[in-house]
Amino acid sequence: MGRVLVALGGNALQRAGGHGTWPEQVAQMRSTAAVLATLVVDGEELIITHGNGPQVGTLLRQNELAERELPRRPMDVLGAETQGQIGYLIEQELTAALVRAKVPRTVLALVSRTAVSRKDRAFKHPDKPVGRYYTEAEARTLRKRESWEMEYDGARGGWRRVVPSPEPLRWIEGEGLRRLLPHGWGAHIVPVVTGGGGVPVIETSQGTYEGVEAVIDKDRTAALVAATLGADTLVILTDVPAAAVGFRKPWEKWLGEVRAKEMETYLQRGEFGEGSMGPKVEASLRFLRTGGHRAIITDPPSLARAMRNETGTRIVPD
Amino acid sequence: MGRVLVALGGNALQRAGGHGTWPEQVAQMRSTAAVLATLVVDGEELIITHGNGPQVGTLLRQNELAERELPRRPMDVLGAETQGQIGYLIEQELTAALVRAKVPRTVLALVSRTAVSRKDRAFKHPDKPVGRYYTEAEARTLRKRESWEMEYDGARGGWRRVVPSPEPLRWIEGEGLRRLLPHGWGAHIVPVVTGGGGVPVIETSQGTYEGVEAVIDKDRTAALVAATLGADTLVILTDVPAAAVGFRKPWEKWLGEVRAKEMETYLQRGEFGEGSMGPKVEASLRFLRTGGHRAIITDPPSLARAMRNETGTRIVPD
């Protein structure tokens, strides 16, 4: 069998329409973990990465509500906190699922940093909305007081902070870790890495790192991690069973096995939403370009069948 | 040279009398990291662990101030978040200090859980105060609504929540990690583990783990970690240069090199404060009983000299 990197996003961690309580997150992760355990039973070596959008949003809001009494922490720090929070959740639930499935492993969550470049054009054009909605007056104040970049969201009729979303260049802890791991480590541990895409840091000319307030697309970082740790399959878990062309149009067509070249054409044509399916397809194509054998886009209930090439979108080399 | 486990507490992370801002924490950690780097220059293999008291206090208070809008997260989860936060801080500053000292290493912070027993008597007698002070009326409400155990602090004239402080029995990720690491790993990585003593979890009869609202003494866990990863020196960094008998009395005497038996006598006699130096001495003695060669209690400025046996309290086997 192979080595599989699974990127958990959206509903794999937090149920849509819930209240965001901890027991809800535990229940959601428990059902996802049961699915992940079946992969290990089938002989796969697992690596896990995950998003952190809703969790960082909660920490930003708590920092805001408490700021009269306690100083806010910057976004890079809050990102690291979500790696602790979600890493612990995955350690707990995946350890349990693997014990129940009689394939025990040490689930090991690492605090991960990802290098980005100061010259990345994203720093000139911040466009990734984070946190809550504000009124126009609040937006004006925040722009002045905090030097935040603010953007109007017509659909919701409110203002939001936007931060840069630069390209991930290197997973800082990755090289060191890889050189240490003995052959066949996948039979013993399940690493949980680069949560939220990794904490974004910029390398200085002295070879040290500075944290920055930005977000990194977790699926893009996943493609990097896959190359570093030698995964042959990348699984991007989301809330739909597959990618589609003509999504929600009369000519909608769900995609099964697709060659990279064909997928590239759909991507260029703008078939996939910019903030949703687009980055997933793009990360999948990157992964194949760096030697990956197969990228799967599906939801947790379909994962086991998608691994057997029976459902989900499977992108394969030309 | 040897393998050294350093436990960072108190002022190693947060300057007393500061405002608790992030730049303050960075500055404090930067100066501690410079000291730690000198150990690596001298050929030592480093392992780091750290406390999280002030940081968990901040998260508890932010959760409280925001609770009308966002559900609180339990204490075990907040503990995991501080591991992410402080783990990131140590990765950043220690990586930089090691680069500056020309002994680069991969600093690797792990989200760590520590098993405790449901039968531990601490669960019957919670006695570790956490979070802020409350009025008597608030204390009554919290006792009812949240089922919190509350205790009056005469010195400060207020009520505080008290939680159990059980014995650490096992560092869950430790065994798996140790079996993986190749010989001589200390020349390549500096692991950062069991922050805040590790997230406390209870093993169920099915072999899975449940998080609990409790705190674990970080120095007690440090003794466990030292045994698991084979450290020969345990360093407990605190805000005084050494332990003393007759502390702040006319007959005060600072301790240099002391045999375990002598230290045990002082401990029994109640020479060391229960919430402060006592647990550090106790953890040091435990470490020597499990095969440790030397336990050092000192502050960051004295560390380099303490390692050369020139200052600080050094406890050695009988």
Side-chain angles (χ1 to χ4, degrees):
Chain A
M1 309 307 301
R3 186 167 289 169
V4 184
L5 172 63
V6 182
L8 307 176
N11 77 340
L13 290 165
Q14 197 151 345
R15 190 166 54 90
H19 298 90
T21 67
W22 186 252
E24 276 172 14
Q25 289 195 52
V26 169
Q28 194 71 354
M29 186 62 216
R30 190 162 295 175
S31 79
T32 302
V35 172
L36 296 174
T38 65
L39 268 56
V40 177
V41 169
D42 288 347
E44 307 287 357
E45 300 181 340
L46 266 194
I47 306 155
I48 309 285
T49 186
H50 60 84
N52 70 348
Q55 292 80 8
V56 154
T58 296
L59 295 187
L60 279 169
R61 182 63 179 146
Q62 284 185 326
N63 269 260
E64 187 172 42
L65 288 168
E67 76 173 326
R68 273 164 197 235
E69 194 175 309
L70 295 162
R72 289 186 199 215
R73 296 181 299 286
M75 256 189 79
D76 54 328
V77 180
L78 302 185
E81 291 174 21
T82 67
Q83 289 187 359
Q85 179 197 115
I86 302 169
Y88 168 56
L89 178 60
I90 296 175
E91 281 183 355
Q92 285 280 85
E93 296 307 323
L94 190 52
T95 300
L98 292 170
V99 163
R100 283 186 205 110
K102 301 194 168 41
V103 283
R105 297 282 185 282
T106 298
V107 182
L108 214 57
L110 306 178
V111 181
S112 305
R113 297 168 293 165
T114 302
V116 299
S117 167
R118 175 73 74 191
K119 290 176 190 145
D120 195 302
R121 56 179 297 282
F123 285 102
K124 283 217 182 73
H125 307 283
D127 65 353
K128 182 82 186 165
V130 292
R132 70 180 181 102
Y133 289 82
Y134 296 93
T135 65
E136 195 173 339
E138 288 172 324
R140 215 176 297 127
T141 309
L142 289 166
R143 196 176 268 152
K144 256 192 215 158
R145 201 189 60 198
E146 310 279 346
S147 308
W148 286 0
E149 199 76 39
M150 305 294 293
E151 198 175 78
Y152 188 67
D153 177 350
R156 291 278 295 264
W159 293 77
R160 281 180 93 184
R161 179 182 183 189
V162 284
V163 298
S165 182
E167 284 288 324
L169 300 178
R170 193 162 53 88
W171 165 33
I172 312 255
E173 292 72 25
E175 271 302 300
L177 181 70
R178 191 185 54 81
R179 264 181 292 159
L180 269 179
L181 292 172
H183 189 73
W185 55 265
H188 304 284
I189 67 165
V190 176
V192 179
V193 302
T194 64
V199 181
V201 297
I202 289 176
E203 190 166 358
T204 70
S205 54
Q206 288 84 47
T208 64
Y209 301 97
E210 276 170 16
V212 281
E213 295 209 309
V215 298
I216 303 178
D217 183 85
K218 70 151 206 319
D219 297 318
R220 283 186 187 161
T221 304
L224 256 185
V225 169
T228 310
L229 294 184
D232 37 57
T233 299
L234 167 66
V235 173
I236 300 182
L237 279 188
T238 182
D239 43 14
V240 288
V245 286
F247 186 56
R248 285 183 183 161
K249 303 240 167 66
W251 58 90
E252 177 181 87
K253 188 188 134 202
W254 295 92
L255 299 171
E257 182 170 307
V258 187
R259 300 263 155 198
K261 206 167 191 175
E262 188 183 343
M263 210 62 178
E264 183 77 51
T265 310
Y266 296 145
L267 184 68
Q268 301 294 342
R269 215 201 274 163
E271 283 284 354
F272 311 114
E274 236 184 75
S276 52
M277 192 54 81
K280 293 176 179 52
V281 170
E282 205 200 300
S284 299
L285 292 171
R286 260 180 217 213
F287 169 67
L288 295 180
R289 277 197 296 273
T290 58
H293 297 173
R294 183 176 56 155
I296 296 177
I297 300 174
T298 192
D299 60 8
S302 314
L303 176 57
R305 291 184 54 229
M307 287 295 293
R308 295 194 298 269
N309 295 320
E310 295 168 10
T311 189
T313 297
R314 291 100 54 199
I315 314 172
V316 294
D318 295 312
Chain B
M1 311 304 301
R3 186 166 288 169
V4 184
L5 172 64
V6 181
L8 307 177
N11 77 341
L13 289 166
Q14 198 152 344
R15 189 167 54 92
H19 297 91
T21 66
W22 186 251
E24 276 172 15
Q25 290 195 51
V26 169
Q28 194 71 353
M29 186 62 217
R30 190 162 295 175
S31 77
T32 302
V35 172
L36 296 175
T38 65
L39 270 56
V40 177
V41 170
D42 289 346
E44 308 285 358
E45 300 181 340
L46 267 192
I47 306 156
I48 310 285
T49 186
H50 60 85
N52 70 348
Q55 292 81 3
V56 154
T58 296
L59 295 188
L60 278 169
R61 181 62 178 147
Q62 285 185 324
N63 269 260
E64 189 173 41
L65 287 168
E67 74 174 328
R68 272 164 200 237
E69 196 177 304
L70 295 162
R72 288 187 202 219
R73 296 179 300 285
M75 257 189 78
D76 54 328
V77 180
L78 301 185
E81 291 174 21
T82 67
Q83 290 188 358
Q85 179 196 116
I86 302 167
Y88 167 57
L89 178 60
I90 297 174
E91 282 184 351
Q92 285 281 85
E93 296 308 322
L94 190 51
T95 299
L98 294 169
V99 163
R100 284 186 204 111
K102 301 195 169 34
V103 283
R105 298 282 186 280
T106 298
V107 183
L108 214 57
L110 306 178
V111 180
S112 304
R113 297 169 292 165
T114 302
V116 300
S117 167
R118 175 70 76 191
K119 288 177 191 142
D120 194 302
R121 56 180 295 286
F123 286 101
K124 284 218 181 69
H125 307 282
D127 65 355
K128 182 82 188 164
V130 291
R132 67 180 183 101
Y133 288 83
Y134 296 94
T135 65
E136 194 172 341
E138 287 172 326
R140 213 175 299 127
T141 308
L142 288 166
R143 196 176 267 151
K144 254 192 212 157
R145 200 189 60 194
E146 309 281 345
S147 310
W148 286 359
E149 202 73 40
M150 304 296 292
E151 199 175 76
Y152 188 68
D153 175 351
R156 289 280 295 264
W159 293 77
R160 280 181 95 184
R161 180 181 182 188
V162 283
V163 298
S165 183
E167 283 288 326
L169 301 177
R170 191 160 56 87
W171 166 32
I172 312 260
E173 291 74 23
E175 273 301 301
L177 183 69
R178 191 185 54 79
R179 262 180 293 158
L180 269 181
L181 291 172
H183 188 72
W185 55 265
H188 305 284
I189 68 165
V190 177
V192 180
V193 302
T194 64
V199 180
V201 297
I202 289 175
E203 189 167 358
T204 69
S205 54
Q206 289 84 50
T208 64
Y209 301 98
E210 275 170 17
V212 281
E213 295 210 307
V215 297
I216 304 178
D217 183 86
K218 72 151 201 323
D219 298 318
R220 283 186 188 163
T221 304
L224 256 186
V225 170
T228 310
L229 294 185
D232 36 58
T233 300
L234 168 66
V235 174
I236 299 182
L237 279 189
T238 181
D239 42 14
V240 287
V245 288
F247 186 56
R248 286 180 181 163
K249 303 243 169 63
W251 58 92
E252 178 180 87
K253 188 186 135 207
W254 294 92
L255 299 171
E257 182 168 307
V258 188
R259 300 262 156 201
K261 207 169 189 170
E262 188 183 342
M263 209 61 178
E264 182 78 50
T265 310
Y266 295 143
L267 184 69
Q268 301 293 341
R269 217 201 271 165
E271 284 284 356
F272 311 113
E274 236 183 75
S276 54
M277 193 54 80
K280 292 175 180 49
V281 171
E282 206 199 299
S284 300
L285 292 170
R286 255 179 220 214
F287 169 66
L288 295 179
R289 277 197 296 273
T290 57
H293 299 174
R294 182 174 60 151
I296 295 178
I297 299 174
T298 193
D299 60 8
S302 314
L303 177 57
R305 291 182 53 227
M307 286 295 293
R308 297 193 297 267
N309 294 321
E310 295 168 11
T311 188
T313 297
R314 290 100 54 199
I315 314 171
V316 295
D318 295 310

